[in-house]
Amino acid sequence: MLEEILTMLVKKANPERDVSVEKNGKRFFILEHDTIGCNDYMLDGQYSYDEVVALNNLTGYHCGFGFCKEIGPVAFIGVGNPYFCTTSGYFEYNVHEYGTSKDESEYYFKVYSDEDAKNIGNYTVYGFYGIEAVATKAPIAKMDYIYDSRYKCKRYMGQNKDKKIIEMDLKLSGTYSFYDARLLATGTTKDKDAFTREEHPIQFAVVGGNKYVGIINLFEYENDFKFRDVWEYGCDEPKIQDIRFLSKEEAEKIDNFSLYVYVCPYSLTTKKYPIEKEDRTFDRRFKFQLPDGTDYRLV
């Protein structure tokens, strides 16, 4: 009975949506039954119906065609369940790229008939499966961070025993004491073992023998690692420096840590992290397509 009442209230607040409330354990969840589409990657440029079909064939899955008033003609490729690409509904149009915050804003997608779809020549294409295969035939404008080598090589550093250089994504402005740095990164000055989406681990170290740094969102570390400062767009690559990690007792005595972010967090807020420098690949002028056609993010 309570689920029915809550569903009625949610539908009243969202009359245009097909929603319901269901209980799982002790918690209630809002389910949106009119959510479709995909946004794991988006292709650069626009494509004809036949070009979309050819690209989708590379994925081995399903595709669909429709119209979105904010974007124009939209096609989905590489979709496992055809329902999600051949049905009208709402879709998240923002691709969650590495170094950005997730944006779950939605647009409405109205599916085309087969006859109408074949007469369209300017589809914006979103994909789910098959990004590696599709990238060999069409440039990728945006891809979800989980596919991006910039994220994978950092988050799964422990699986690559040959990787000994920790390369900074961001440098924050100002300097911080040990406890101020901890509070900014973890949300508390106390020791912490587990972290939520807005909380990130921080390690303290000395670089080059005389520069004190705090490195946010770094889990694994060893003293035989090397350190590279943020490589900004249009600048030469910073030199590789020695790094020695500090014990808590050593770090507590320092009040002038420069703070860095090693791997951009899932939810990046400039309000929380005042950014002074960012990696060159976050600059919109950086070209991900290499001269041989390979995508830098998929290497």
Side-chain angles (χ1 to χ4, degrees):
M1 178 65 72
L2 182 55
E3 291 180 19
E4 294 178 1
I5 294 173
L6 292 174
T7 294
M8 181 179 66
L9 292 175
V10 171
K11 285 186 174 181
K12 186 175 181 180
N14 303 273
E16 76 285 358
R17 301 299 301 265
D18 180 8
V19 294
S20 65
V21 175
E22 295 187 12
K23 187 176 182 181
N24 188 344
K26 296 181 179 181
R27 300 179 64 185
F28 290 92
F29 295 88
I30 297 176
L31 302 181
E32 298 172 336
H33 305 289
D34 54 1
T35 297
I36 52 90
C38 56
N39 65 348
D40 273 29
Y41 58 95
M42 185 180 78
L43 303 189
D44 190 24
Q46 296 180 324
Y47 298 81
S48 69
Y49 175 89
D50 289 339
E51 289 171 329
V52 172
V53 171
L55 290 170
N56 182 68
N57 288 340
L58 298 174
T59 73
Y61 290 94
H62 304 279
C63 63
F65 304 86
F67 182 80
C68 168
K69 67 178 183 179
E70 293 86 355
I71 299 175
V74 169
F76 299 119
I77 64 173
V79 181
N81 185 339
Y83 171 84
F84 291 102
C85 60
T86 58
T87 306
S88 298
Y90 292 88
F91 75 102
E92 294 180 12
Y93 59 89
N94 284 302
V95 178
H96 186 192
E97 297 179 273
Y98 181 61
T100 68
S101 296
K102 186 174 179 60
D103 183 345
E104 297 179 333
S105 301
E106 293 179 312
Y107 286 151
Y108 189 76
F109 170 88
K110 183 173 178 57
V111 68
Y112 281 140
S113 67
D114 290 341
E115 183 178 349
D116 288 339
K118 294 176 181 178
N119 295 321
I120 305 298
N122 59 332
Y123 286 103
T124 296
V125 181
Y126 289 86
F128 188 54
Y129 291 118
I131 186 172
E132 291 86 0
V134 172
T136 65
K137 300 297 182 181
I140 307 294
K142 298 179 180 181
M143 69 176 66
D144 193 279
Y145 74 98
I146 62 172
Y147 297 107
D148 198 313
S149 61
R150 294 176 296 169
Y151 169 80
K152 291 195 292 186
C153 73
K154 287 171 174 281
R155 178 54 79 193
Y156 306 113
M157 179 175 61
Q159 299 176 17
N160 184 358
K161 300 303 181 182
D162 296 328
K163 183 172 177 57
K164 294 297 184 180
I165 300 174
I166 49 176
E167 304 159 338
M168 299 300 104
D169 273 349
L170 307 171
K171 182 180 187 298
L172 309 190
S173 58
T175 57
Y176 300 76
S177 69
F178 170 81
Y179 288 106
D180 286 342
R182 255 197 176 188
L183 183 62
L184 178 68
T186 70
T188 179
T189 58
K190 299 179 181 179
D191 293 342
K192 194 173 178 66
D193 295 324
F195 304 92
T196 68
R197 183 175 296 178
E198 296 297 331
E199 302 166 351
H200 311 109
I202 182 170
Q203 317 299 340
F204 296 93
V206 57
V207 170
N210 58 6
K211 179 180 179 179
Y212 294 104
V213 302
I215 304 176
I216 297 170
N217 223 10
L218 176 67
F219 283 88
E220 299 181 57
Y221 60 93
E222 298 174 10
N223 276 326
D224 61 346
F225 284 176
K226 300 292 183 180
F227 175 91
R228 195 198 74 189
D229 208 316
V230 177
W231 186 354
E232 295 182 276
Y233 184 83
C235 298
D236 293 333
E237 181 179 4
K239 65 179 181 180
I240 306 303
Q241 297 175 281
D242 291 332
I243 183 171
R244 181 178 71 84
F245 289 91
L246 303 174
S247 66
K248 178 182 177 182
E249 291 71 26
E250 291 177 297
E252 284 179 313
K253 301 173 183 177
I254 310 301
D255 63 1
N256 63 334
F257 284 105
S258 295
L259 297 190
Y260 290 86
V261 175
Y262 170 62
V263 53
C264 275
Y266 180 81
S267 180
L268 181 66
T269 57
T270 54
K271 182 179 291 187
K272 179 176 181 179
Y273 292 149
I275 299 171
E276 178 183 312
K277 296 193 296 186
E278 65 178 14
D279 184 84
R280 71 200 193 287
T281 62
F282 297 147
D283 192 293
R284 289 299 176 186
R285 294 170 291 181
F286 185 85
K287 303 299 182 185
F288 291 114
Q289 274 66 44
L290 302 177
D292 65 356
T294 303
D295 193 303
Y296 177 89
R297 295 162 294 184
L298 294 175
V299 173

